[in-house]
Amino acid sequence: MALKPFEFLSNAVRAKEIVTVLARNGFADLLQKLDLPPRLMKAFGSQVPQKRSQWERLRMVMEQLGPTFVKVGQLLSMRPDLVPEALIVELKKLQETVPPVSFDSIRPIVEEELGQSLDSIFTHFEEEAVGAASMAQVHRAVLVANGRRVAVKVQRPNLQKVIDADFDILSWFAKQAHDRVEDLQPLNLPDVIEALRESLERELDFRREAKSLAFFELRNAHPKEIAAPKVFSEYCTRRVLVMEWIEGRKLSDIEPNSDEAKRIARVGSRSLFHQILMNGFFHADPHAGNVRVMPDGRVCLLDWGMTGQLTERMRFGLVDLFVAFVKGDPEQVTRLAISLEDTGESIDRRRMERDVNLAIREHYNPDTGEGDVGRAVLKLLYVFGQNGVDLARDYSLMAKAILCVEETGTYLDETYNIKTEFEPVLTELIRKRRNPKRMIRDFRDSVLFGIDQLQNVPEEALRILKKIEKDNLKINLQHKGLEDLDDAISDASNKITLGIIIGCLLVGSSLIVTSNTPPIVFGFPILGIAGFVLSFLLGLYVAFDILRGPPRQ
């Protein structure tokens, strides 16, 4: 796949910066396999011997390339089915050293999004941001309507344009790597990048976060112990989110192993497992930075931009997986994982059972119930992915959330045991699932559904027969492996278009020169001369591109 001329020109500076940073951090060998254009190959420079691990260097690359890549790293850390545990641990260290945008740049965004002047909405709006991240920053303000102190989260200006450009380049690199690096093909990088792009697009819409906050408030089972900021929906748009200002202490201000610290660990764990197993809706990134302890003792969860959802069927499957995991039964874990995904693809069960057994034993001791459950779950999801069992994205979000809670709980209480925390909720869901009334109802619904489907069989068969009779039966075929042909046709079309443009320029310039059309500079019609020069430069570009030949395969 070749960079198309106009795409390359529009992204050339950023592409060169990305290549330079990758090469500087020891990834030149990988870049040389991607068939980069000569312009980008010059960006390699001298190579410095690397002493750090490849995962640490990859994390440094993301930090050096700025907000989009930092966010991509954070999203990748939510995909334990794709990313090795060692890389997830490294990605958790990503630092967002992003200075806040000036108030002069933020004010027009707020006024444009809310459709009113700042003074008509807020009696006070602090010009200095109280917090800044790669995607947005937060300002403290006071509402005119009710005098409430609020936090105003505002998206950074021109963010969409920057993200689109970076993802265009990332998609090109992913396609090159997928086509030319055999070891990376099982990861299907183009699809991964596209999925990350969709996730980021969802997170950039602050209306989703507002709905998540409102939904949690409705479903919160422990309102006296756990909370989330109240959202003022009338002031929420795609790029602005206005919510209750939360006064509270950070977890770093809490004395570890104190009675208060142990209570916070217990409250946070119980809430998360209730969110996951009972509500099927949960905060997917409950790390310590997103937690505050309010003056009344309640634990408040901030930043609901990333949430996960599990259907009832997914939660029941999760219960079976948890039970098999706690027992240390790799055969049962493997069977349940395959049934949850159910692609119909052939899977090497023996190999998968062996990998599952190693993953469980590496981080967890089923006999004593001791170990690192969060890391074990991450490892299991990676094993599933490597064996062709791609579970739903929300299972990965759940695994990351469990890891966050376990690490925070261990920091607050050295005797913390996550198994003790999730067992009561697990028992409650099992009781709900095995309720006789529920089982009878589910059986009745299944029978009725089956009868309905059987009634539709004759009608569907008749519909197919009528299509055959009328020669109207269509079969859709999907062609694969024609991407290079598509690129070749597109490249040829671009060259033909440039050829036509060059011809038109030459004809037009000749007419201008022969007719001595003004403006005249030093006796020459300047527009005609400019046309000749531009034609010459474009002609050189086309000739060079043709002589260079097709990209290496």
Side-chain angles (χ1 to χ4, degrees):
M1 178 179 177
L3 275 174
K4 297 174 178 59
F6 299 113
E7 289 181 357
F8 177 80
L9 289 172
S10 62
N11 293 322
V13 175
R14 182 58 168 163
K16 183 177 179 180
E17 180 186 0
I18 292 170
V19 169
T20 302
V21 171
L22 283 166
R24 188 170 62 228
N25 285 280
F27 293 100
D29 290 344
L30 174 62
L31 291 170
Q32 287 171 351
K33 299 177 182 178
L34 303 187
D35 187 43
L36 299 176
R39 305 163 186 80
L40 294 182
M41 297 288 285
K42 295 176 182 177
F44 278 25
S46 58
Q47 304 302 307
V48 179
Q50 300 292 330
K51 297 180 180 179
R52 296 182 174 91
S53 72
Q54 59 177 336
W55 305 134
E56 187 177 1
R57 286 185 279 120
L58 186 58
R59 188 255 303 164
M60 291 170 63
V61 165
M62 292 176 175
E63 289 177 343
Q64 292 168 25
L65 288 175
T68 303
F69 285 81
V70 168
K71 201 64 190 177
V72 165
Q74 292 171 343
L75 291 172
L76 272 177
S77 72
M78 302 278 189
R79 294 298 305 271
D81 54 323
L82 294 172
V83 179
E85 178 203 343
L87 178 55
I88 288 179
V89 172
E90 195 62 45
L91 290 176
K92 288 181 65 181
K93 302 175 186 176
L94 278 169
Q95 299 296 317
E96 295 185 284
T97 53
V98 183
V101 177
S102 68
F103 176 69
D104 291 338
S105 300
I106 289 297
R107 180 171 190 148
I109 296 176
V110 178
E111 293 182 336
E112 178 187 346
E113 289 291 310
L114 299 183
Q116 302 178 56
S117 69
L118 213 63
D119 296 337
S120 65
I121 305 171
F122 306 103
T123 58
H124 173 71
F125 192 100
E126 290 188 10
E127 295 188 6
E128 186 175 346
V130 294
S134 56
M135 301 289 118
Q137 60 190 54
V138 176
H139 292 259
R140 191 158 33 198
V142 178
L143 286 172
V144 169
N146 52 26
R148 294 282 297 271
R149 287 204 303 166
V150 293
V152 184
K153 184 176 178 179
V154 187
Q155 198 171 112
R156 298 173 76 89
N158 301 316
L159 184 63
Q160 190 68 55
K161 188 182 296 184
V162 173
I163 288 174
D164 287 343
D166 280 348
F167 266 101
D168 286 344
I169 299 171
L170 267 175
S171 297
W172 183 83
F173 276 110
K175 179 65 168 60
Q176 295 293 94
H178 181 73
D179 289 346
R180 290 169 170 80
V181 184
E182 189 175 345
D183 291 344
L184 296 178
Q185 287 177 356
L187 297 178
N188 199 354
L189 290 178
D191 284 357
V192 171
I193 294 299
E194 188 57 34
L196 291 175
R197 188 174 200 158
E198 291 173 2
S199 296
L200 187 52
E201 289 290 345
R202 285 194 295 268
E203 196 171 340
L204 284 176
D205 189 347
F206 290 169
R207 292 169 297 188
R208 288 178 176 271
E209 184 173 353
K211 290 177 181 177
S212 296
L213 284 163
F215 186 75
F216 175 75
E217 186 177 7
L218 287 174
R219 302 296 297 272
N220 185 7
H222 310 100
K224 294 182 179 179
E225 297 178 319
I226 201 94
K230 173 181 170 57
V231 66
F232 297 90
S233 56
E234 63 270 32
Y235 302 115
C236 295
T237 68
R238 190 179 187 280
R239 295 195 295 164
V240 173
L241 176 64
V242 178
M243 53 194 162
E244 173 189 9
W245 175 262
I246 298 296
E247 290 287 357
R249 292 172 292 161
K250 297 180 179 179
L251 292 188
S252 56
D253 299 330
I254 306 296
E255 182 67 29
N257 298 312
S258 63
D259 290 341
E260 183 182 25
K262 292 179 180 180
R263 179 188 66 82
I264 293 169
R266 186 177 66 253
V267 166
S269 300
R270 183 169 61 167
S271 174
L272 178 73
F273 285 112
H274 193 278
Q275 292 172 43
I276 292 173
L277 295 174
M278 302 306 295
N279 291 345
F281 173 83
F282 58 94
H283 192 304
D285 195 21
H287 62 77
N290 285 337
V291 180
R292 295 291 184 273
V293 182
M294 300 171 70
D296 61 6
R298 287 184 297 164
V299 176
C300 185
L301 298 176
L302 308 176
D303 192 358
W304 285 75
M306 184 70 71
T307 57
Q309 299 186 56
L310 298 173
T311 65
E312 189 173 67
R313 178 181 174 274
M314 292 169 74
R315 281 180 277 142
F316 288 159
L318 194 58
V319 167
D320 293 334
L321 265 179
F322 268 139
V323 171
F325 166 76
V326 170
K327 291 179 179 177
D329 186 345
E331 291 84 2
Q332 181 75 340
V333 169
T334 299
R335 185 185 66 77
L336 290 167
I338 293 173
S339 66
L340 283 173
E341 203 263 345
D342 193 23
T343 60
E345 298 288 336
S346 177
I347 293 171
D348 187 342
R349 283 178 176 258
R350 289 195 176 185
R351 177 194 162 193
M352 185 170 170
E353 287 173 5
R354 184 184 68 248
D355 293 345
V356 166
N357 188 43
L358 289 173
I360 294 174
R361 303 289 172 179
E362 184 179 351
H363 294 291
Y364 180 73
N365 187 338
D367 298 325
T368 63
E370 297 177 351
D372 197 335
V373 174
R375 287 180 184 268
V377 173
L378 287 179
K379 185 73 174 181
L380 277 177
L381 286 176
Y382 181 67
V383 166
F384 295 162
Q386 292 298 297
N387 283 274
V389 179
D390 299 319
L391 297 183
R393 164 183 170 270
D394 294 276
Y395 283 120
S396 298
L397 295 177
M398 174 215 67
K400 177 72 186 312
I402 290 175
L403 179 63
C404 286
V405 164
E406 185 174 29
E407 289 182 343
T408 303
T410 304
Y411 163 77
L412 292 170
D413 179 8
E414 61 184 13
T415 63
Y416 177 85
N417 187 326
I418 196 169
K419 180 184 174 185
T420 305
E421 303 301 333
F422 73 65
E423 276 186 338
V425 186
L426 204 62
T427 303
E428 184 180 352
L429 185 60
I430 291 172
R431 190 184 303 116
K432 176 183 176 182
R433 181 185 186 184
R434 294 177 180 171
N435 183 291
K437 290 183 179 179
R438 178 186 186 81
M439 294 174 71
I440 292 171
R441 188 192 69 198
D442 289 347
F443 178 75
R444 182 197 63 200
D445 291 344
S446 296
V447 170
L448 291 175
F449 178 76
I451 292 172
D452 289 340
Q453 293 298 103
L454 284 172
Q455 287 176 337
N456 291 332
V457 169
E459 182 182 345
E460 291 296 316
L462 182 61
R463 185 173 63 85
I464 293 172
L465 289 171
K466 282 184 177 181
K467 283 194 171 187
I468 294 173
E469 182 183 1
K470 294 179 180 180
D471 294 331
N472 196 29
L473 185 66
K474 295 180 181 178
I475 299 175
N476 293 322
L477 299 176
Q478 183 179 5
H479 296 281
K480 293 187 176 181
L482 298 180
E483 296 85 357
D484 289 339
L485 178 61
D486 178 64
D487 292 333
I489 293 172
S490 179
D491 188 49
S493 301
N494 286 336
K495 288 174 182 173
I496 291 170
T497 303
L498 278 175
I500 294 171
I501 292 172
I502 292 168
C504 293
L505 281 171
L506 285 171
V507 173
S509 300
S510 299
L511 292 172
I512 291 172
V513 169
T514 54
S515 62
N516 237 9
T517 303
I520 308 295
V521 178
F522 299 116
F524 296 100
I526 192 65
L527 289 178
I529 300 301
F532 282 133
V533 172
L534 184 57
S535 302
F536 176 73
L537 293 175
L538 287 173
L540 278 181
Y541 172 82
V542 173
F544 171 76
D545 206 33
I546 292 172
L547 291 172
R548 186 183 57 165
R552 299 183 303 275
Q553 298 299 321

